[in-house]
Amino acid sequence: MLWTLANIATLIGLLGTIRGLIRAFGAVGSITEPARKTAFLSAGISEAMWNTFLGLLIAVIAMFFHLILNGMAKRQKHEMEKATMKLENLLTLKRQG
């Protein structure tokens, strides 16, 4: 689930980025007053960058914990397989002996 969260967070961040850029350039096209145009452009670009940052931050954190938990699960599986082989060998030796 963490890997899925990472992918979704990245896409939502990208969606927010596009939304911010649409707002920024929409303001440039519809506002004639230079001071307001600059303010709206800056606000739109800021929104876009924050969305990108937060989406990537969530994705990186989720991927980090996914990799840690996945590694732990693989080690646990390996230990269980070793114990199973030991038990199988022990049972085979008892049956032969």
Side-chain angles (χ1 to χ4, degrees):
M1 288 184 72
L2 286 173
W3 201 259
T4 302
L5 173 65
N7 285 325
I8 290 171
T10 303
L11 292 173
I12 289 174
L14 179 61
L15 186 63
T17 301
I18 298 303
R19 182 178 140 212
L21 291 174
I22 288 171
R23 282 185 177 187
F25 290 112
V28 168
S30 64
I31 298 173
T32 57
E33 200 177 310
R36 283 188 61 212
K37 188 183 286 194
T38 303
F40 275 94
L41 180 64
S42 298
I45 291 173
S46 176
E47 178 185 341
M49 293 298 105
W50 273 108
N51 279 301
T52 302
F53 171 75
L54 293 174
L56 289 175
L57 178 67
I58 292 168
V60 167
I61 291 170
M63 285 178 179
F64 176 76
F65 283 108
H66 169 77
L67 291 172
I68 288 174
L69 292 173
N70 193 37
M72 291 169 62
K74 282 183 179 180
R75 267 187 254 115
Q76 188 70 26
K77 179 184 171 193
H78 180 68
E79 291 298 320
M80 289 173 62
E81 287 173 348
K82 277 183 11 183
T84 302
M85 281 196 321
K86 285 181 183 179
L87 179 62
E88 184 180 1
N89 288 339
L90 181 66
L91 292 174
T92 304
L93 287 174
K94 280 195 173 201
R95 197 172 1 167
Q96 290 175 354

